[in-house]
Amino acid sequence: MKIAILGGGHGCYAAAADLSEQGHEVRLWRRDAAALQAVLDQGGIRIKDADGERDVAIALATGDIRAALDGAELIVLPTPALAQADIARSMAPHLADGQVVFLPPGTFGGYMMAKIVWDSGNHAAVTFAETGTLPYLARKHGPAEVAITIRATRLPTGVFPASRADHAHAVIARAYRSMERCGDILSGALMNAGPVIHPPLIMMNAAPLQHFPEWDIHNEGTQPAVRSVTDRLDGERMAVREALGYGAPHFPLADHYNNDQWMYGDAHKKLVDSGDWREHIDLHTHRYMREDTAMGLAFLVSVARWVGVDVPVASGLLAMAGAIVGEDLARGERTLDALGLGQLDKAAMHDLLQNGFQ
């Protein structure tokens, strides 16, 4: 299958190497074409995982998004939510009928990107999908080298418009056999683990994060008090899902710590043992704040308000984050109001998510 990978981060390089090794024809696109030079010089990406180290050839590494998208059945964007709008505008002239755009995860970016493409005048039958986490726990170890600590074992995936779910799931499953159906794209967005796991970790570890040059929020930072807050926050997320009529499984984050039933299986110890998450986190700029909190948590709070579910922990964490960065994050760009959806009733929302733009 022809697959386009858009972006240059950890997840993008992991996807490019992993899917190429599976035998797919992968085109890796980065806006910063010069940053691809190491991949071009090497002819691919060096991958490090439980099976050892090896070089994997990549069919195409390019700064030309048209070349990356041409003929691609699946377009994978393991990119920060902050980049989605700009990438959508770059993609819009080149998307064609039948293509599937997959955001792992999406922060409801699948809907937002679809709207940008539609408003640009491209009304091709393109399907957008998003899931709850990256398919990989990965870190780049160099300009053409990536270490994959673990691969996701379950990827609950929602689709927009939901009427094209059969097609989207069939395409995604050819690349990711761990993909599971979970309804429409709002359901998929409410599987996103980042806005549940990261806001408590950075807010409740704010002092050591600002004191020490590096700090592992998943090791020293994951203490019983933090876990208690995370469990309550995740309970609020699941309550929102239930109020919207989405059934189990809800993939409770507690399974990430307690058993092998979560999206990465039994992964927490491997994550900590790798040492790759001992890092410097700037509370004003890091994606845990700018993506998972300012976008993801704000989105969750806005959906809860819309559906009438009380979420005191989510609201409190969002207020704390706003105090740290000096912004009103409850009015962020990824809330339902900002996306133009806050005034819809449930019936109108269901029709939109099911059938798309008319």
Side-chain angles (χ1 to χ4, degrees), residues 8-14 17 28 30 34-40 42 44-48 53 55 138-148 276:
H10 308 295
C12 298
Y13 275 45
L28 174 64
R30 289 190 71 168
L36 286 169
Q37 193 59 49
V39 177
L40 293 169
Q42 192 168 290
I45 294 173
R46 186 164 185 79
I47 188 172
K48 300 160 64 177
E53 300 186 20
D55 293 320
R139 281 292 187 268
K140 290 167 68 177
H141 283 186
E145 183 176 289
V146 65
I148 299 177
D276 280 342

Side-chain angles (χ1 to χ4, degrees), residues 232-233 236 301 304 309-319:
R232 288 288 299 276
L233 175 60
E236 293 176 355
V301 170
V309 174
D310 190 29
V311 287
V313 175
S315 299
L317 287 167
L318 191 64

Side-chain angles (χ1 to χ4, degrees), residues 187-229:
S187 175
L190 291 171
M191 289 293 192
N192 191 352
V196 176
I197 191 170
H198 293 134
L201 284 174
I202 62 170
M203 245 72 75
M204 298 181 74
N205 283 279
L209 284 173
Q210 292 188 327
H211 178 73
F212 296 110
E214 293 182 338
W215 184 256
D216 190 338
I217 59 173
H218 299 287
N219 189 6
E220 299 94 334
T222 302
Q223 298 298 329
V226 180
R227 281 290 319 281
S228 295
V229 172

Side-chain angles (χ1 to χ4, degrees), residues 203 282-285 289-290 293-294 318-329:
M203 245 72 75
D282 185 311
L283 288 173
H284 288 260
T285 61
M289 177 65 80
R290 288 299 166 189
T293 306
L318 191 64
M320 288 176 61
I324 290 172
V325 300
E327 300 171 26
D328 182 2
L329 299 182

Side-chain angles (χ1 to χ4, degrees), residues 7 24 54 56 66 87 99 108 129 133 155 166 169-170 180 206 211 227-228 246 272 278 283 308 329:
H24 298 291
R54 60 231 180 252
V56 179
R66 179 197 292 268
I87 292 175
Q99 291 183 313
F108 208 51
T133 191
L155 289 172
D166 287 346
H169 285 126
E180 300 181 13
H211 178 73
R227 281 290 319 281
S228 295
Y246 299 129
V272 172
R278 182 171 298 282
L283 288 173
L329 299 182

Side-chain angles (χ1 to χ4, degrees), residues 250-321:
H250 299 302
F251 289 83
L253 189 61
D255 288 346
H256 171 61
Y257 299 99
N258 299 332
N259 56 56
D260 63 355
Q261 298 304 301
W262 199 63
M263 299 181 207
Y264 288 128
D266 187 10
H268 183 67
K269 187 176 187 302
K270 292 180 181 178
L271 182 154
V272 172
D273 289 348
S274 74
D276 280 342
W277 279 262
R278 182 171 298 282
E279 58 185 334
H280 172 66
I281 294 177
D282 185 311
L283 288 173
H284 288 260
T285 61
H286 197 275
R287 71 175 186 85
Y288 293 163
M289 177 65 80
R290 288 299 166 189
E291 178 179 7
D292 293 325
T293 306
M295 287 188 169
L297 192 61
F299 172 73
L300 174 61
V301 170
S302 77
V303 176
R305 184 182 302 114
W306 178 77
V307 79
V309 174
D310 190 29
V311 287
V313 175
S315 299
L317 287 167
L318 191 64
M320 288 176 61

